[in-house]
Amino acid sequence: MNASVLLLEDVRDDLLGLPVPPQVRVRLVALGRETAFLGTPGGWLLSPGSPARFVVGFPDVSAELVRLSGGNAVTTVIEAPTSCSLKVTEAPVDALVTARVGGGRAVGIAVRGGDGILELVRSVTGEGHQGVYAPVTLTVERPQSLYLLYRGGELLTRARTADALSHTLAQVLAGYGVPDPSETTLMCAAAVHRDGRAVLLPRNWLSDLVVHSTRLERAGWRLCPRPFTTLRLPPSGGKPVLTGSPASRERESLVTSVLSQSASTGSWTRAQVLAQIVNWIRRPATPDSVCSLADSLQTLPVQVGTWGQALDHLRAGSPAT
């Protein structure tokens, strides 16, 4: 890195990259402490011959760090952390890997655990681009006998074998490639039944349902671990189609219902529930794609409840209402 990065956290400070004279470091630490109230994360970008510039927010700060390391912020996956993802990433990691996916995009992966886990991850990702910063998006760890894969704070899989982890990781990385303009991308999860039908469900249920994935598999359901759910919408009216993952040559599945979260207080009308589901669409989205999604959802039954009720619903195999 042809730059100096001073990280300030509580009472400690760490210097990355090029060294700076001690007196300069003291002044920079003071500047950071005095302006911390402007936003977290935030920081001053100081470049010779240019005025000082303050950047704030995880996406903007991360983009500057990517540029300082010689990377391309436009093609680097940057996803803002949540309270859940902070819990997953706060523990020390053993290695950081940068994976290159479709369109030259870069995905940062944190690796935690021994027993060849780093070699396993690199067998899927390759060596990546060393020396270029990519914020952590995925975390792979092996705390005991299982391989765990997280996206931020979301548990995507609890694999029992190295092959199963490799397969899932390849699927997830493929999902970060350049989206097909003919498809509509949703920020939600999906499950596919062995008979070919699929259901959409809230992404914040995924971690809980993954823990019970064995029970779902006995009922014929397989959770899709992709970072996004992509649909092909019919030209007018009919049910949407869940597209397959190129990494595993999955077949396409007809979406037959949607499972949605119940209101925290009171109740929602069907129109309000459908509006919430339309809001799953990934931004940026064109007005036409939003209207097409809303039109397709009108044909689907919706089951409203909690993730536990959704688990029972899927295991029972009853149609949504």
Side-chain angles (χ1 to χ4, degrees):
M1 177 184 291
N2 191 27
S4 302
V5 177
L6 189 60
L7 301 178
L8 306 181
E9 182 180 5
D10 297 329
V11 297
R12 60 178 291 185
D13 59 85
D14 297 300
L15 182 66
L16 306 176
L18 300 179
V20 297
Q23 64 273 23
V24 174
R25 179 167 178 168
V26 170
R27 295 177 65 183
L28 291 177
V29 169
L31 173 63
R33 302 287 184 209
E34 291 171 5
T35 56
F37 69 92
L38 295 175
T40 302
W44 289 97
L45 184 65
L46 308 175
S47 301
S50 301
R53 182 161 58 90
F54 186 76
V55 291
V56 64
F58 185 85
D60 289 346
V61 171
S62 296
E64 292 298 341
L65 292 174
V66 171
R67 294 187 188 100
L68 288 174
S69 70
N72 186 338
V74 175
T75 58
T76 299
V77 175
I78 300 174
E79 298 183 347
T82 63
S83 57
C84 293
S85 62
L86 291 176
K87 293 176 183 177
V88 172
T89 59
E90 64 182 0
V93 300
D94 298 303
L96 297 173
V97 175
T98 300
R100 292 290 174 178
V101 296
R105 306 188 79 199
V107 181
I109 306 174
V111 182
R112 185 184 294 129
D115 297 326
I117 185 69
L118 176 58
E119 290 73 17
L120 176 59
V121 171
R122 283 184 171 158
S123 71
V124 178
T125 65
E127 289 301 317
H129 191 172
Q130 303 302 316
V132 175
Y133 173 72
V136 171
T137 299
L138 304 175
T139 301
V140 179
E141 65 178 11
R142 192 182 187 190
Q144 294 178 348
S145 59
L146 293 174
Y147 296 94
L148 306 181
L149 172 61
Y150 293 89
R151 178 202 181 195
E154 299 164 354
L155 180 61
L156 297 182
T157 190
R158 299 167 78 231
R160 297 187 180 279
T161 66
D163 286 344
L165 174 67
S166 298
H167 176 78
T168 302
L169 180 58
Q171 281 186 276
V172 173
L173 290 174
Y176 281 108
V178 178
D180 188 325
S182 67
E183 297 174 344
T184 299
T185 306
L186 304 184
M187 304 279 285
C188 70
V192 176
H193 196 271
R194 56 174 164 248
D195 63 12
R197 57 195 165 102
V199 299
L200 306 180
L201 46 93
R203 200 168 71 179
N204 63 320
W205 287 356
L206 192 56
S207 293
D208 294 304
L209 293 178
V210 164
V211 173
H212 297 277
S213 57
T214 301
R215 298 168 66 187
L216 287 172
E217 288 168 4
R218 291 196 193 104
W221 291 100
R222 174 180 51 81
L223 295 168
C224 299
R226 307 171 212 160
F228 308 103
T229 294
T230 54
L231 303 179
R232 195 180 72 249
L233 303 178
S236 59
K239 291 182 172 61
V241 173
L242 178 71
T243 61
S245 168
S248 59
R249 296 185 291 276
E250 295 173 325
R251 62 178 179 174
E252 296 185 335
S253 304
L254 189 67
V255 178
T256 57
S257 64
V258 183
L259 306 180
S260 182
Q261 195 158 351
S262 55
S264 55
T265 59
S267 60
W268 284 329
T269 64
R270 176 175 169 81
Q272 289 173 316
V273 172
L274 291 178
Q276 180 199 39
I277 297 169
V278 170
N279 199 42
W280 291 346
I281 197 166
R282 185 184 179 190
R283 278 72 165 175
T286 65
D288 286 345
S289 64
V290 173
C291 292
S292 297
L293 176 61
D295 188 41
S296 293
L297 292 175
Q298 293 287 349
T299 67
L300 298 178
V302 178
Q303 178 75 32
V304 177
T306 64
W307 75 264
Q309 291 171 324
L311 176 63
D312 294 339
H313 171 79
L314 292 173
R315 293 180 64 211
S318 57
T321 57

